[in-house]
Amino acid sequence: GEKKLMLSADPALGRMHLTDMRIPNPPSPPRFCAYLRAHFQGSRITAVRAADDDRVVRITGTRGPEGTRTQKALILELLGRDSNMVLVDPGTGLILECLHRIPSKETGTRVVMPGALYEPPPPRAAEPGTRTEVSPSARGLPAIVTGSKGRKQLALHPLSDADETFSSMNEAANAFFKPRLESDMLEALKRELAAPLKTRAKSLARRMQKIQADADRLEHLVERQYEGELLKSNLGRIKKGMEQIEVQDWGTGEARMVRLDPALAPVANMERIFQKAAKGKRGEKKVLERQSVTLEEKRAVEDMLYYVETATDVAQLESAASDFRADATETRKQVSHKVRQDARGESSLYHRFVVGGDRTILVGRSAAGNDFLVRRKAGPGDWWF
């Protein structure tokens, strides 16, 4: 069957082992990965050799038909913070590409750059008296052991009956690194998906503030309709050139000042106030529509962000990643469709059932789904069981 070989040059998690994990590809491949796809993918591995007394592995692969077959070596250097992966042409010894480029200006280090001659890392200084050979029969089964401080470690054999053993070191390494890798992938995917959503949410919040400012301004214009009525009953007292007039407010019985345009005649002043009030009424309707649309999109984006931040496994997020990776300029209609789903209720958080022809029942798939329904979906008239 198919086997996947994990090669990691992570400073803290550097390793090489077979794995059954399904690791999602990024939206676009990194530079070194793209180069390997073009020049090493499809190769037949002909040799795997580890350096003596060092954590450096050379994987030799051949590719192409007979007669034009090419050979390349992928070298994994597990050296802590200096870990690296390098693709080398065995014929010339030249570096074709590498994961981390180390230029010559960095003194005290070897040059690792495309076109440079590959030089193995300096050998580790062996500590006298610390190396002991252990025969396979004496090792027993590889295990994940728990140290005195509760920290789990890979070991060649168990230290106590409570330690978990495996039939091979590949299985032990896969089980040891899998939880950490899944956690790291989940957090990385959350950050990737949440970033544009947070940006969009801030943008919509700013838009809501501007819309509210427009609404307040238009409301003030609409209120001038009352001023126009007051002015209408006092036209005989108005003379051209007046900047304001004091009238009695019918509602409060108190005096009220009404501003005037001194360049206009009394009737023109009144008509100007009525025109502004009518303009305010027309604008209010458009502002309410903009407010409703923006608020719906804002809630939809917040729902998406909640979905991302409460996800508990990579598969749950990955299934929606293609939708959530939409950029921050995505329209309200698209965002709303992705979050609220259609009548079929295709949601990873809850099931949707329609009963009696017009009643909808939403059932959380998990505790997170129930929390989502209560906090985000439930309305004032909804029933919770």
PDB file of all heavy atoms in Angstrom, residues 218-239:
ATOM      1  N   LEU A 218     -29.543  62.804   8.836  1.00  0.00           N
ATOM      2  CA  LEU A 218     -30.826  62.801   8.135  1.00  0.00           C
ATOM      3  C   LEU A 218     -31.996  62.947   9.099  1.00  0.00           C
ATOM      4  O   LEU A 218     -33.007  63.566   8.779  1.00  0.00           O
ATOM      5  CB  LEU A 218     -30.959  61.507   7.331  1.00  0.00           C
ATOM      6  CG  LEU A 218     -30.000  61.372   6.140  1.00  0.00           C
ATOM      7  CD1 LEU A 218     -30.046  59.961   5.581  1.00  0.00           C
ATOM      8  CD2 LEU A 218     -30.329  62.391   5.052  1.00  0.00           C
ATOM      9  N   GLU A 219     -31.840  62.354  10.290  1.00  0.00           N
ATOM     10  CA  GLU A 219     -32.900  62.493  11.292  1.00  0.00           C
ATOM     11  C   GLU A 219     -33.074  63.960  11.674  1.00  0.00           C
ATOM     12  O   GLU A 219     -34.198  64.439  11.875  1.00  0.00           O
ATOM     13  CB  GLU A 219     -32.550  61.663  12.526  1.00  0.00           C
ATOM     14  CG  GLU A 219     -33.648  61.668  13.585  1.00  0.00           C
ATOM     15  CD  GLU A 219     -33.284  60.839  14.805  1.00  0.00           C
ATOM     16  OE1 GLU A 219     -32.141  60.337  14.864  1.00  0.00           O
ATOM     17  OE2 GLU A 219     -34.130  60.695  15.697  1.00  0.00           O
ATOM     18  N   HIS A 220     -31.958  64.674  11.747  1.00  0.00           N
ATOM     19  CA  HIS A 220     -32.029  66.105  12.065  1.00  0.00           C
ATOM     20  C   HIS A 220     -32.753  66.865  10.956  1.00  0.00           C
ATOM     21  O   HIS A 220     -33.541  67.785  11.218  1.00  0.00           O
ATOM     22  CB  HIS A 220     -30.617  66.654  12.252  1.00  0.00           C
ATOM     23  CG  HIS A 220     -30.570  68.132  12.494  1.00  0.00           C
ATOM     24  ND1 HIS A 220     -31.021  68.712  13.650  1.00  0.00           N
ATOM     25  CD2 HIS A 220     -30.129  69.162  11.700  1.00  0.00           C
ATOM     26  CE1 HIS A 220     -30.879  70.016  13.585  1.00  0.00           C
ATOM     27  NE2 HIS A 220     -30.335  70.326  12.410  1.00  0.00           N
ATOM     28  N   LEU A 221     -32.510  66.451   9.681  1.00  0.00           N
ATOM     29  CA  LEU A 221     -33.200  67.105   8.567  1.00  0.00           C
ATOM     30  C   LEU A 221     -34.705  66.840   8.625  1.00  0.00           C
ATOM     31  O   LEU A 221     -35.519  67.731   8.367  1.00  0.00           O
ATOM     32  CB  LEU A 221     -32.624  66.609   7.231  1.00  0.00           C
ATOM     33  CG  LEU A 221     -31.211  67.081   6.863  1.00  0.00           C
ATOM     34  CD1 LEU A 221     -30.799  66.476   5.533  1.00  0.00           C
ATOM     35  CD2 LEU A 221     -31.129  68.596   6.797  1.00  0.00           C
ATOM     36  N   VAL A 222     -35.070  65.596   8.928  1.00  0.00           N
ATOM     37  CA  VAL A 222     -36.491  65.241   9.005  1.00  0.00           C
ATOM     38  C   VAL A 222     -37.188  66.052  10.101  1.00  0.00           C
ATOM     39  O   VAL A 222     -38.348  66.476   9.956  1.00  0.00           O
ATOM     40  CB  VAL A 222     -36.663  63.733   9.254  1.00  0.00           C
ATOM     41  CG1 VAL A 222     -38.126  63.385   9.511  1.00  0.00           C
ATOM     42  CG2 VAL A 222     -36.155  62.941   8.051  1.00  0.00           C
ATOM     43  N   GLU A 223     -36.456  66.266  11.188  1.00  0.00           N
ATOM     44  CA  GLU A 223     -37.032  67.032  12.296  1.00  0.00           C
ATOM     45  C   GLU A 223     -37.333  68.475  11.896  1.00  0.00           C
ATOM     46  O   GLU A 223     -38.158  69.149  12.522  1.00  0.00           O
ATOM     47  CB  GLU A 223     -36.076  67.017  13.491  1.00  0.00           C
ATOM     48  CG  GLU A 223     -36.013  65.661  14.198  1.00  0.00           C
ATOM     49  CD  GLU A 223     -34.967  65.636  15.298  1.00  0.00           C
ATOM     50  OE1 GLU A 223     -34.201  66.631  15.406  1.00  0.00           O
ATOM     51  OE2 GLU A 223     -34.912  64.638  16.037  1.00  0.00           O
ATOM     52  N   ARG A 224     -36.712  68.971  10.830  1.00  0.00           N
ATOM     53  CA  ARG A 224     -36.953  70.351  10.391  1.00  0.00           C
ATOM     54  C   ARG A 224     -38.335  70.515   9.749  1.00  0.00           C
ATOM     55  O   ARG A 224     -38.780  71.640   9.510  1.00  0.00           O
ATOM     56  CB  ARG A 224     -35.862  70.792   9.426  1.00  0.00           C
ATOM     57  CG  ARG A 224     -34.470  70.819  10.046  1.00  0.00           C
ATOM     58  CD  ARG A 224     -33.582  71.840   9.417  1.00  0.00           C
ATOM     59  NE  ARG A 224     -34.019  73.201   9.719  1.00  0.00           N
ATOM     60  CZ  ARG A 224     -33.468  74.286   9.166  1.00  0.00           C
ATOM     61  NH1 ARG A 224     -32.496  74.149   8.273  1.00  0.00           N
ATOM     62  NH2 ARG A 224     -33.904  75.494   9.480  1.00  0.00           N
ATOM     63  N   GLN A 225     -38.998  69.363   9.457  1.00  0.00           N
ATOM     64  CA  GLN A 225     -40.379  69.439   8.961  1.00  0.00           C
ATOM     65  C   GLN A 225     -41.253  70.190   9.979  1.00  0.00           C
ATOM     66  O   GLN A 225     -42.104  71.013   9.604  1.00  0.00           O
ATOM     67  CB  GLN A 225     -40.927  68.025   8.737  1.00  0.00           C
ATOM     68  CG  GLN A 225     -42.396  67.949   8.349  1.00  0.00           C
ATOM     69  CD  GLN A 225     -42.633  68.293   6.897  1.00  0.00           C
ATOM     70  OE1 GLN A 225     -41.723  68.189   6.074  1.00  0.00           O
ATOM     71  NE2 GLN A 225     -43.846  68.715   6.566  1.00  0.00           N
ATOM     72  N   TYR A 226     -41.035  69.922  11.237  1.00  0.00           N
ATOM     73  CA  TYR A 226     -41.784  70.588  12.307  1.00  0.00           C
ATOM     74  C   TYR A 226     -41.465  72.081  12.336  1.00  0.00           C
ATOM     75  O   TYR A 226     -42.341  72.933  12.526  1.00  0.00           O
ATOM     76  CB  TYR A 226     -41.435  69.924  13.635  1.00  0.00           C
ATOM     77  CG  TYR A 226     -42.218  70.444  14.822  1.00  0.00           C
ATOM     78  CD1 TYR A 226     -43.610  70.397  14.850  1.00  0.00           C
ATOM     79  CD2 TYR A 226     -41.558  70.979  15.924  1.00  0.00           C
ATOM     80  CE1 TYR A 226     -44.328  70.875  15.937  1.00  0.00           C
ATOM     81  CE2 TYR A 226     -42.260  71.453  17.023  1.00  0.00           C
ATOM     82  CZ  TYR A 226     -43.654  71.402  17.021  1.00  0.00           C
ATOM     83  OH  TYR A 226     -44.363  71.879  18.099  1.00  0.00           O
ATOM     84  N   GLU A 227     -40.170  72.414  12.108  1.00  0.00           N
ATOM     85  CA  GLU A 227     -39.778  73.817  12.061  1.00  0.00           C
ATOM     86  C   GLU A 227     -40.481  74.537  10.909  1.00  0.00           C
ATOM     87  O   GLU A 227     -40.889  75.692  11.024  1.00  0.00           O
ATOM     88  CB  GLU A 227     -38.258  73.952  11.902  1.00  0.00           C
ATOM     89  CG  GLU A 227     -37.467  73.654  13.156  1.00  0.00           C
ATOM     90  CD  GLU A 227     -35.999  74.001  12.990  1.00  0.00           C
ATOM     91  OE1 GLU A 227     -35.585  74.323  11.847  1.00  0.00           O
ATOM     92  OE2 GLU A 227     -35.263  73.953  13.991  1.00  0.00           O
ATOM     93  N   GLY A 228     -40.593  73.830   9.773  1.00  0.00           N
ATOM     94  CA  GLY A 228     -41.278  74.421   8.623  1.00  0.00           C
ATOM     95  C   GLY A 228     -42.734  74.732   8.937  1.00  0.00           C
ATOM     96  O   GLY A 228     -43.263  75.770   8.507  1.00  0.00           O
ATOM     97  N   GLU A 229     -43.394  73.820   9.686  1.00  0.00           N
ATOM     98  CA  GLU A 229     -44.793  74.060  10.055  1.00  0.00           C
ATOM     99  C   GLU A 229     -44.903  75.258  10.994  1.00  0.00           C
ATOM    100  O   GLU A 229     -45.840  76.074  10.886  1.00  0.00           O
ATOM    101  CB  GLU A 229     -45.373  72.805  10.728  1.00  0.00           C
ATOM    102  CG  GLU A 229     -45.432  71.574   9.838  1.00  0.00           C
ATOM    103  CD  GLU A 229     -46.410  71.737   8.679  1.00  0.00           C
ATOM    104  OE1 GLU A 229     -47.252  72.658   8.710  1.00  0.00           O
ATOM    105  OE2 GLU A 229     -46.318  70.933   7.729  1.00  0.00           O
ATOM    106  N   LEU A 230     -43.959  75.370  11.929  1.00  0.00           N
ATOM    107  CA  LEU A 230     -43.951  76.521  12.835  1.00  0.00           C
ATOM    108  C   LEU A 230     -43.745  77.817  12.045  1.00  0.00           C
ATOM    109  O   LEU A 230     -44.371  78.849  12.331  1.00  0.00           O
ATOM    110  CB  LEU A 230     -42.858  76.368  13.894  1.00  0.00           C
ATOM    111  CG  LEU A 230     -43.031  75.250  14.931  1.00  0.00           C
ATOM    112  CD1 LEU A 230     -41.811  75.178  15.838  1.00  0.00           C
ATOM    113  CD2 LEU A 230     -44.284  75.486  15.772  1.00  0.00           C
ATOM    114  N   LEU A 231     -42.822  77.760  11.070  1.00  0.00           N
ATOM    115  CA  LEU A 231     -42.533  78.933  10.263  1.00  0.00           C
ATOM    116  C   LEU A 231     -43.737  79.332   9.416  1.00  0.00           C
ATOM    117  O   LEU A 231     -44.014  80.521   9.209  1.00  0.00           O
ATOM    118  CB  LEU A 231     -41.323  78.636   9.370  1.00  0.00           C
ATOM    119  CG  LEU A 231     -40.467  79.831   8.929  1.00  0.00           C
ATOM    120  CD1 LEU A 231     -39.882  80.536  10.140  1.00  0.00           C
ATOM    121  CD2 LEU A 231     -39.358  79.357   8.003  1.00  0.00           C
ATOM    122  N   LYS A 232     -44.470  78.308   8.929  1.00  0.00           N
ATOM    123  CA  LYS A 232     -45.634  78.557   8.073  1.00  0.00           C
ATOM    124  C   LYS A 232     -46.679  79.411   8.788  1.00  0.00           C
ATOM    125  O   LYS A 232     -47.326  80.281   8.194  1.00  0.00           O
ATOM    126  CB  LYS A 232     -46.232  77.213   7.649  1.00  0.00           C
ATOM    127  CG  LYS A 232     -47.348  77.312   6.634  1.00  0.00           C
ATOM    128  CD  LYS A 232     -47.785  75.921   6.225  1.00  0.00           C
ATOM    129  CE  LYS A 232     -48.880  75.972   5.172  1.00  0.00           C
ATOM    130  NZ  LYS A 232     -49.312  74.604   4.760  1.00  0.00           N
ATOM    131  N   SER A 233     -46.841  79.172  10.083  1.00  0.00           N
ATOM    132  CA  SER A 233     -47.838  79.930  10.857  1.00  0.00           C
ATOM    133  C   SER A 233     -47.326  81.295  11.286  1.00  0.00           C
ATOM    134  O   SER A 233     -48.060  82.068  11.910  1.00  0.00           O
ATOM    135  CB  SER A 233     -48.273  79.120  12.079  1.00  0.00           C
ATOM    136  OG  SER A 233     -47.176  78.940  12.951  1.00  0.00           O
ATOM    137  N   ASN A 234     -46.059  81.617  10.981  1.00  0.00           N
ATOM    138  CA  ASN A 234     -45.493  82.906  11.378  1.00  0.00           C
ATOM    139  C   ASN A 234     -44.926  83.671  10.189  1.00  0.00           C
ATOM    140  O   ASN A 234     -44.046  84.530  10.350  1.00  0.00           O
ATOM    141  CB  ASN A 234     -44.378  82.696  12.419  1.00  0.00           C
ATOM    142  CG  ASN A 234     -44.895  82.277  13.779  1.00  0.00           C
ATOM    143  OD1 ASN A 234     -45.242  83.120  14.608  1.00  0.00           O
ATOM    144  ND2 ASN A 234     -44.968  80.963  14.000  1.00  0.00           N
ATOM    145  N   LEU A 235     -45.411  83.349   8.953  1.00  0.00           N
ATOM    146  CA  LEU A 235     -44.869  83.979   7.754  1.00  0.00           C
ATOM    147  C   LEU A 235     -45.005  85.497   7.795  1.00  0.00           C
ATOM    148  O   LEU A 235     -44.133  86.236   7.304  1.00  0.00           O
ATOM    149  CB  LEU A 235     -45.563  83.438   6.506  1.00  0.00           C
ATOM    150  CG  LEU A 235     -45.058  82.094   5.971  1.00  0.00           C
ATOM    151  CD1 LEU A 235     -45.888  81.655   4.773  1.00  0.00           C
ATOM    152  CD2 LEU A 235     -43.596  82.183   5.588  1.00  0.00           C
ATOM    153  N   GLY A 236     -46.094  85.984   8.387  1.00  0.00           N
ATOM    154  CA  GLY A 236     -46.321  87.431   8.412  1.00  0.00           C
ATOM    155  C   GLY A 236     -45.296  88.182   9.237  1.00  0.00           C
ATOM    156  O   GLY A 236     -45.118  89.404   9.057  1.00  0.00           O
ATOM    157  N   ARG A 237     -44.609  87.490  10.128  1.00  0.00           N
ATOM    158  CA  ARG A 237     -43.628  88.149  10.994  1.00  0.00           C
ATOM    159  C   ARG A 237     -42.219  88.132  10.402  1.00  0.00           C
ATOM    160  O   ARG A 237     -41.298  88.728  10.950  1.00  0.00           O
ATOM    161  CB  ARG A 237     -43.606  87.458  12.364  1.00  0.00           C
ATOM    162  CG  ARG A 237     -44.936  87.551  13.117  1.00  0.00           C
ATOM    163  CD  ARG A 237     -44.865  86.730  14.410  1.00  0.00           C
ATOM    164  NE  ARG A 237     -43.655  87.072  15.164  1.00  0.00           N
ATOM    165  CZ  ARG A 237     -42.930  86.187  15.834  1.00  0.00           C
ATOM    166  NH1 ARG A 237     -43.290  84.905  15.831  1.00  0.00           N
ATOM    167  NH2 ARG A 237     -41.871  86.571  16.498  1.00  0.00           N
ATOM    168  N   ILE A 238     -42.048  87.357   9.305  1.00  0.00           N
ATOM    169  CA  ILE A 238     -40.703  87.191   8.740  1.00  0.00           C
ATOM    170  C   ILE A 238     -40.440  88.258   7.693  1.00  0.00           C
ATOM    171  O   ILE A 238     -41.294  88.563   6.862  1.00  0.00           O
ATOM    172  CB  ILE A 238     -40.551  85.791   8.109  1.00  0.00           C
ATOM    173  CG1 ILE A 238     -40.869  84.696   9.137  1.00  0.00           C
ATOM    174  CG2 ILE A 238     -39.137  85.598   7.554  1.00  0.00           C
ATOM    175  CD1 ILE A 238     -40.902  83.324   8.555  1.00  0.00           C
ATOM    176  N   LYS A 239     -39.244  88.838   7.720  1.00  0.00           N
ATOM    177  CA  LYS A 239     -38.830  89.808   6.725  1.00  0.00           C
ATOM    178  C   LYS A 239     -37.491  89.350   6.132  1.00  0.00           C
ATOM    179  O   LYS A 239     -36.683  88.732   6.816  1.00  0.00           O
ATOM    180  CB  LYS A 239     -38.683  91.196   7.341  1.00  0.00           C
ATOM    181  CG  LYS A 239     -39.981  91.763   7.915  1.00  0.00           C
ATOM    182  CD  LYS A 239     -39.802  93.180   8.347  1.00  0.00           C
ATOM    183  CE  LYS A 239     -41.075  93.710   9.000  1.00  0.00           C
ATOM    184  NZ  LYS A 239     -42.263  93.532   8.166  1.00  0.00           N
TER     185      LYS A 239
END
